[in-house]
Amino acid sequence: MNNLSVTGTNGGLFAKPTIGRSEYGRVKVALAPGKGFMDWLRLTANKHLAKRITGGVDHDELMKHYTKEDCWVHLFGTVYDVTKYLDFHPGGIPELLRAGGRDATPLFNQYHAWVNYESFLKACVVGPFIGDLSKLPPPLSPTTSDDTNKLGVPSSLGSDYFDGGFGSRVETLEHGISIENDEWTGLSEPNVIVSLTPVSVKTSINTRGEENSEEHARLRVLIHHFWQSAMEFEFESTQRLTQQKYELIVKKNRVEIRFPALENLEDVLNREKCKIRRRPGSSYHSTKIIDLFRLNHDTLVFSLELPEYTTYRIPLGYHVGVKVRKGKGNLYRPYTPISNPTPHRIDLMIKIYPDGICTPSLEKLQIGDDLVISDPIGDKDFTGWTENSSQLILLSAGSGITPMIDLLERRIQKASNSEVYMLMFNKTEEDIQTVTPDGKTWKLGEIWKTFEGDEKIVLRNVLSAPKAEESEYQLHGRITPELLKTIIPTSSESRRAFICGPDGFIVAAKNALDSLNISSDHVHIFKG
């Protein structure tokens, strides 16, 4: 039985959250046994659950399917029958029914923009949408009483706001501000985002009706503590902070921002001028593409420079939302950044799909163009698994390699004498990501050259449709229990594993790890 409490309120449904919240603060409910992520992948593997309509679905037909027994939704030009997925939806059945018989695209961009829906819902495709979107009714109102956070909306919308500050203490210092909360433990710099954003403030209107303005700056501090709800501290804009350099000091439960060139900041940095939000909406940062190169035939690497007055670090395993302009609207897609050795930069490795919705637009970008990314998204701390396990296993397919690169680097830096096994699955030699293009710096390529043949840091490419003969470090085949057993020795000590790739790969990789007697509690799956 699905552990979902549903009661009527003013004719509507309210789903009682019984687990907590997702990485964005999105309300989640407890799913019944057998209705989890892996269960859905197994159910839909190599199957089609929906009745196809080859001629397409118009708005009149779509609007007929809006009940729990028969639920269709429109998503980016395709109609899906999600009836059988309802019980698997982490946000609960009523939340997904909000989009029944309607256009689900706006809700998807708000709550699930990082999800690879084309792969996740491929078994549910009914057919292309051939109707008029303007004639579809909008999605229903939220069904959860405290539904707050949204992806793609300004942080001033859809968040918890409380004058008491949720136990936070904001104190003015001689040269800056301190923010402290007893619930924060073990804060480190990757938990903190600081931005000093230019703001144009209207000051007056002259007799000719022309507006006069001056440049101010708004200080924003985001604390995304592991395993806790994010908290945002946004101060009123002020001219005094414009283009001012600052120092960030992070202690166990305290953050200090100091402006060495400024004094007497009591009038601009104080508790009364600070708006505190818990579970804020995601804010976005405009970065500059300062380098761009082709890693292989269908993969590009973008090197991005962050704004000058922004402190932005990516915790291990976190991803970002990338805002892509598509026609008159914006789409949001998830990518896992790769740390860059140059401060104030991050890299994105993006596979280009010629018929994709977003990546053709990304392929057109050039050096010097802007690319807008969100705050880091995530809530888990992978440091312990990465640094302290006796045996670390990293399994990826295709572009699923991206979160593994920084995990591997951290392992080498902190536990180089312990075992790590990184297996990268691709189709042909053309898809391999371990080769550094001439004249470029590519982290994974440098790691490969340094540790190829190492007995403890074991790196292998595995190809399913190779063109050349098999070698010691370039194997042939697919992920199977037998393959893993030939590479990864049995260990009675602590073992941890990460998986990232397409749905079918995830299922096969999890089954292979089961054969090594690795507990599901010790396996993390990066969901596409």
PDB file of all heavy atoms in Angstrom, residues 138-162:
ATOM      1  N   PRO A 138      -4.347  25.458 -17.756  1.00  0.00           N
ATOM      2  CA  PRO A 138      -3.074  25.460 -17.023  1.00  0.00           C
ATOM      3  C   PRO A 138      -3.057  24.352 -15.980  1.00  0.00           C
ATOM      4  O   PRO A 138      -4.109  23.828 -15.596  1.00  0.00           O
ATOM      5  CB  PRO A 138      -3.057  26.844 -16.362  1.00  0.00           C
ATOM      6  CG  PRO A 138      -4.506  27.195 -16.204  1.00  0.00           C
ATOM      7  CD  PRO A 138      -5.195  26.613 -17.412  1.00  0.00           C
ATOM      8  N   PRO A 139      -1.883  23.978 -15.487  1.00  0.00           N
ATOM      9  CA  PRO A 139      -1.811  22.964 -14.425  1.00  0.00           C
ATOM     10  C   PRO A 139      -2.586  23.400 -13.191  1.00  0.00           C
ATOM     11  O   PRO A 139      -2.743  24.597 -12.914  1.00  0.00           O
ATOM     12  CB  PRO A 139      -0.308  22.869 -14.133  1.00  0.00           C
ATOM     13  CG  PRO A 139       0.355  23.356 -15.374  1.00  0.00           C
ATOM     14  CD  PRO A 139      -0.550  24.418 -15.923  1.00  0.00           C
ATOM     15  N   LEU A 140      -3.066  22.430 -12.442  1.00  0.00           N
ATOM     16  CA  LEU A 140      -3.793  22.715 -11.214  1.00  0.00           C
ATOM     17  C   LEU A 140      -2.849  23.257 -10.144  1.00  0.00           C
ATOM     18  O   LEU A 140      -1.627  23.132 -10.249  1.00  0.00           O
ATOM     19  CB  LEU A 140      -4.478  21.443 -10.716  1.00  0.00           C
ATOM     20  CG  LEU A 140      -5.550  20.855 -11.644  1.00  0.00           C
ATOM     21  CD1 LEU A 140      -6.010  19.501 -11.115  1.00  0.00           C
ATOM     22  CD2 LEU A 140      -6.727  21.805 -11.775  1.00  0.00           C
ATOM     23  N   SER A 141      -3.415  23.827  -9.099  1.00  0.00           N
ATOM     24  CA  SER A 141      -2.624  24.389  -8.004  1.00  0.00           C
ATOM     25  C   SER A 141      -1.902  23.283  -7.250  1.00  0.00           C
ATOM     26  O   SER A 141      -2.311  22.121  -7.288  1.00  0.00           O
ATOM     27  CB  SER A 141      -3.532  25.163  -7.050  1.00  0.00           C
ATOM     28  OG  SER A 141      -4.178  26.216  -7.731  1.00  0.00           O
ATOM     29  N   PRO A 142      -0.817  23.634  -6.525  1.00  0.00           N
ATOM     30  CA  PRO A 142      -0.083  22.626  -5.749  1.00  0.00           C
ATOM     31  C   PRO A 142      -0.994  21.887  -4.786  1.00  0.00           C
ATOM     32  O   PRO A 142      -1.919  22.470  -4.211  1.00  0.00           O
ATOM     33  CB  PRO A 142       0.967  23.453  -4.999  1.00  0.00           C
ATOM     34  CG  PRO A 142       1.153  24.672  -5.836  1.00  0.00           C
ATOM     35  CD  PRO A 142      -0.188  24.963  -6.431  1.00  0.00           C
ATOM     36  N   THR A 143      -0.738  20.606  -4.611  1.00  0.00           N
ATOM     37  CA  THR A 143      -1.564  19.782  -3.730  1.00  0.00           C
ATOM     38  C   THR A 143      -0.970  19.634  -2.349  1.00  0.00           C
ATOM     39  O   THR A 143      -1.605  19.088  -1.461  1.00  0.00           O
ATOM     40  CB  THR A 143      -1.736  18.374  -4.324  1.00  0.00           C
ATOM     41  OG1 THR A 143      -0.454  17.739  -4.384  1.00  0.00           O
ATOM     42  CG2 THR A 143      -2.328  18.439  -5.708  1.00  0.00           C
ATOM     43  N   THR A 144       0.274  20.079  -2.165  1.00  0.00           N
ATOM     44  CA  THR A 144       0.909  19.960  -0.856  1.00  0.00           C
ATOM     45  C   THR A 144       0.813  21.282  -0.132  1.00  0.00           C
ATOM     46  O   THR A 144       1.016  22.340  -0.709  1.00  0.00           O
ATOM     47  CB  THR A 144       2.383  19.558  -0.997  1.00  0.00           C
ATOM     48  OG1 THR A 144       3.006  20.427  -1.933  1.00  0.00           O
ATOM     49  CG2 THR A 144       2.496  18.132  -1.485  1.00  0.00           C
ATOM     50  N   SER A 145       0.534  21.221   1.147  1.00  0.00           N
ATOM     51  CA  SER A 145       0.270  22.433   1.906  1.00  0.00           C
ATOM     52  C   SER A 145       1.482  23.322   2.050  1.00  0.00           C
ATOM     53  O   SER A 145       1.355  24.499   2.320  1.00  0.00           O
ATOM     54  CB  SER A 145      -0.251  22.064   3.304  1.00  0.00           C
ATOM     55  OG  SER A 145       0.671  21.212   3.958  1.00  0.00           O
ATOM     56  N   ASP A 146       2.701  22.759   1.893  1.00  0.00           N
ATOM     57  CA  ASP A 146       3.899  23.593   2.022  1.00  0.00           C
ATOM     58  C   ASP A 146       4.791  23.453   0.806  1.00  0.00           C
ATOM     59  O   ASP A 146       6.000  23.489   0.885  1.00  0.00           O
ATOM     60  CB  ASP A 146       4.682  23.246   3.290  1.00  0.00           C
ATOM     61  CG  ASP A 146       5.115  21.787   3.319  1.00  0.00           C
ATOM     62  OD1 ASP A 146       4.662  21.030   2.446  1.00  0.00           O
ATOM     63  OD2 ASP A 146       5.899  21.426   4.211  1.00  0.00           O
ATOM     64  N   ASP A 147       4.158  23.312  -0.355  1.00  0.00           N
ATOM     65  CA  ASP A 147       4.905  23.210  -1.603  1.00  0.00           C
ATOM     66  C   ASP A 147       5.559  24.549  -1.887  1.00  0.00           C
ATOM     67  O   ASP A 147       4.893  25.546  -2.073  1.00  0.00           O
ATOM     68  CB  ASP A 147       3.932  22.846  -2.732  1.00  0.00           C
ATOM     69  CG  ASP A 147       4.638  22.597  -4.036  1.00  0.00           C
ATOM     70  OD1 ASP A 147       5.868  22.468  -4.022  1.00  0.00           O
ATOM     71  OD2 ASP A 147       3.943  22.524  -5.061  1.00  0.00           O
ATOM     72  N   THR A 148       6.889  24.594  -1.915  1.00  0.00           N
ATOM     73  CA  THR A 148       7.549  25.887  -2.000  1.00  0.00           C
ATOM     74  C   THR A 148       8.518  26.003  -3.154  1.00  0.00           C
ATOM     75  O   THR A 148       8.365  26.846  -4.019  1.00  0.00           O
ATOM     76  CB  THR A 148       8.329  26.173  -0.707  1.00  0.00           C
ATOM     77  OG1 THR A 148       9.295  25.139  -0.513  1.00  0.00           O
ATOM     78  CG2 THR A 148       7.395  26.206   0.485  1.00  0.00           C
ATOM     79  N   ASN A 149       9.516  25.185  -3.182  1.00  0.00           N
ATOM     80  CA  ASN A 149      10.648  25.482  -4.036  1.00  0.00           C
ATOM     81  C   ASN A 149      10.422  25.120  -5.488  1.00  0.00           C
ATOM     82  O   ASN A 149       9.795  24.139  -5.809  1.00  0.00           O
ATOM     83  CB  ASN A 149      11.865  24.727  -3.513  1.00  0.00           C
ATOM     84  CG  ASN A 149      13.135  25.412  -3.919  1.00  0.00           C
ATOM     85  OD1 ASN A 149      13.114  26.336  -4.709  1.00  0.00           O
ATOM     86  ND2 ASN A 149      14.232  24.954  -3.382  1.00  0.00           N
ATOM     87  N   LYS A 150      10.971  25.923  -6.373  1.00  0.00           N
ATOM     88  CA  LYS A 150      10.805  25.718  -7.803  1.00  0.00           C
ATOM     89  C   LYS A 150      12.127  25.994  -8.490  1.00  0.00           C
ATOM     90  O   LYS A 150      12.887  26.854  -8.079  1.00  0.00           O
ATOM     91  CB  LYS A 150       9.737  26.656  -8.364  1.00  0.00           C
ATOM     92  CG  LYS A 150       8.365  26.462  -7.716  1.00  0.00           C
ATOM     93  CD  LYS A 150       7.400  27.512  -8.205  1.00  0.00           C
ATOM     94  CE  LYS A 150       6.012  27.290  -7.649  1.00  0.00           C
ATOM     95  NZ  LYS A 150       5.940  27.434  -6.211  1.00  0.00           N
ATOM     96  N   LEU A 151      12.375  25.265  -9.542  1.00  0.00           N
ATOM     97  CA  LEU A 151      13.556  25.528 -10.355  1.00  0.00           C
ATOM     98  C   LEU A 151      13.175  26.504 -11.448  1.00  0.00           C
ATOM     99  O   LEU A 151      12.165  26.349 -12.110  1.00  0.00           O
ATOM    100  CB  LEU A 151      14.069  24.234 -10.989  1.00  0.00           C
ATOM    101  CG  LEU A 151      15.219  24.390 -11.982  1.00  0.00           C
ATOM    102  CD1 LEU A 151      16.456  24.907 -11.281  1.00  0.00           C
ATOM    103  CD2 LEU A 151      15.517  23.079 -12.658  1.00  0.00           C
ATOM    104  N   GLY A 152      13.994  27.518 -11.636  1.00  0.00           N
ATOM    105  CA  GLY A 152      13.747  28.452 -12.715  1.00  0.00           C
ATOM    106  C   GLY A 152      12.944  29.663 -12.308  1.00  0.00           C
ATOM    107  O   GLY A 152      12.621  30.489 -13.142  1.00  0.00           O
ATOM    108  N   VAL A 153      12.611  29.787 -11.017  1.00  0.00           N
ATOM    109  CA  VAL A 153      11.916  30.987 -10.570  1.00  0.00           C
ATOM    110  C   VAL A 153      12.865  31.787  -9.702  1.00  0.00           C
ATOM    111  O   VAL A 153      13.789  31.254  -9.112  1.00  0.00           O
ATOM    112  CB  VAL A 153      10.643  30.638  -9.762  1.00  0.00           C
ATOM    113  CG1 VAL A 153       9.682  29.860 -10.602  1.00  0.00           C
ATOM    114  CG2 VAL A 153      10.976  29.876  -8.500  1.00  0.00           C
ATOM    115  N   PRO A 154      12.685  33.103  -9.618  1.00  0.00           N
ATOM    116  CA  PRO A 154      13.563  33.910  -8.780  1.00  0.00           C
ATOM    117  C   PRO A 154      13.493  33.469  -7.330  1.00  0.00           C
ATOM    118  O   PRO A 154      12.480  32.961  -6.861  1.00  0.00           O
ATOM    119  CB  PRO A 154      13.004  35.335  -8.952  1.00  0.00           C
ATOM    120  CG  PRO A 154      12.225  35.292 -10.226  1.00  0.00           C
ATOM    121  CD  PRO A 154      11.688  33.899 -10.328  1.00  0.00           C
ATOM    122  N   SER A 155      14.575  33.695  -6.601  1.00  0.00           N
ATOM    123  CA  SER A 155      14.609  33.252  -5.217  1.00  0.00           C
ATOM    124  C   SER A 155      13.624  34.011  -4.349  1.00  0.00           C
ATOM    125  O   SER A 155      13.336  33.613  -3.237  1.00  0.00           O
ATOM    126  CB  SER A 155      16.023  33.416  -4.646  1.00  0.00           C
ATOM    127  OG  SER A 155      16.432  34.757  -4.719  1.00  0.00           O
ATOM    128  N   SER A 156      13.095  35.124  -4.827  1.00  0.00           N
ATOM    129  CA  SER A 156      12.118  35.874  -4.045  1.00  0.00           C
ATOM    130  C   SER A 156      10.746  35.236  -4.083  1.00  0.00           C
ATOM    131  O   SER A 156       9.838  35.663  -3.385  1.00  0.00           O
ATOM    132  CB  SER A 156      12.023  37.306  -4.578  1.00  0.00           C
ATOM    133  OG  SER A 156      11.656  37.302  -5.937  1.00  0.00           O
ATOM    134  N   LEU A 157      10.577  34.203  -4.910  1.00  0.00           N
ATOM    135  CA  LEU A 157       9.296  33.522  -5.003  1.00  0.00           C
ATOM    136  C   LEU A 157       9.420  32.113  -4.466  1.00  0.00           C
ATOM    137  O   LEU A 157      10.455  31.486  -4.551  1.00  0.00           O
ATOM    138  CB  LEU A 157       8.833  33.459  -6.470  1.00  0.00           C
ATOM    139  CG  LEU A 157       8.667  34.790  -7.192  1.00  0.00           C
ATOM    140  CD1 LEU A 157       8.310  34.517  -8.635  1.00  0.00           C
ATOM    141  CD2 LEU A 157       7.605  35.646  -6.529  1.00  0.00           C
ATOM    142  N   GLY A 158       8.323  31.605  -3.939  1.00  0.00           N
ATOM    143  CA  GLY A 158       8.249  30.192  -3.603  1.00  0.00           C
ATOM    144  C   GLY A 158       9.270  29.726  -2.598  1.00  0.00           C
ATOM    145  O   GLY A 158      10.005  28.792  -2.848  1.00  0.00           O
ATOM    146  N   SER A 159       9.362  30.354  -1.432  1.00  0.00           N
ATOM    147  CA  SER A 159      10.279  29.890  -0.411  1.00  0.00           C
ATOM    148  C   SER A 159       9.681  30.171   0.954  1.00  0.00           C
ATOM    149  O   SER A 159       8.712  30.912   1.087  1.00  0.00           O
ATOM    150  CB  SER A 159      11.637  30.593  -0.547  1.00  0.00           C
ATOM    151  OG  SER A 159      11.488  31.988  -0.402  1.00  0.00           O
ATOM    152  N   ASP A 160      10.265  29.554   1.990  1.00  0.00           N
ATOM    153  CA  ASP A 160       9.837  29.832   3.350  1.00  0.00           C
ATOM    154  C   ASP A 160      10.491  31.128   3.807  1.00  0.00           C
ATOM    155  O   ASP A 160      11.718  31.270   3.732  1.00  0.00           O
ATOM    156  CB  ASP A 160      10.280  28.703   4.288  1.00  0.00           C
ATOM    157  CG  ASP A 160       9.514  27.421   4.019  1.00  0.00           C
ATOM    158  OD1 ASP A 160       8.581  27.462   3.202  1.00  0.00           O
ATOM    159  OD2 ASP A 160       9.855  26.398   4.628  1.00  0.00           O
ATOM    160  N   TYR A 161       9.684  32.069   4.279  1.00  0.00           N
ATOM    161  CA  TYR A 161      10.229  33.313   4.806  1.00  0.00           C
ATOM    162  C   TYR A 161       9.694  33.503   6.211  1.00  0.00           C
ATOM    163  O   TYR A 161       8.504  33.331   6.470  1.00  0.00           O
ATOM    164  CB  TYR A 161       9.837  34.506   3.939  1.00  0.00           C
ATOM    165  CG  TYR A 161      10.218  35.832   4.561  1.00  0.00           C
ATOM    166  CD1 TYR A 161      11.555  36.207   4.638  1.00  0.00           C
ATOM    167  CD2 TYR A 161       9.255  36.663   5.112  1.00  0.00           C
ATOM    168  CE1 TYR A 161      11.918  37.402   5.235  1.00  0.00           C
ATOM    169  CE2 TYR A 161       9.611  37.860   5.708  1.00  0.00           C
ATOM    170  CZ  TYR A 161      10.945  38.221   5.768  1.00  0.00           C
ATOM    171  OH  TYR A 161      11.297  39.391   6.372  1.00  0.00           O
ATOM    172  N   PHE A 162      10.584  33.851   7.136  1.00  0.00           N
ATOM    173  CA  PHE A 162      10.186  33.973   8.537  1.00  0.00           C
ATOM    174  C   PHE A 162      11.047  35.044   9.178  1.00  0.00           C
ATOM    175  O   PHE A 162      12.279  35.001   9.094  1.00  0.00           O
ATOM    176  CB  PHE A 162      10.386  32.632   9.245  1.00  0.00           C
ATOM    177  CG  PHE A 162      10.112  32.664  10.727  1.00  0.00           C
ATOM    178  CD1 PHE A 162       8.921  33.165  11.212  1.00  0.00           C
ATOM    179  CD2 PHE A 162      11.052  32.172  11.620  1.00  0.00           C
ATOM    180  CE1 PHE A 162       8.670  33.183  12.573  1.00  0.00           C
ATOM    181  CE2 PHE A 162      10.801  32.190  12.983  1.00  0.00           C
ATOM    182  CZ  PHE A 162       9.605  32.695  13.455  1.00  0.00           C
TER     183      PHE A 162
END
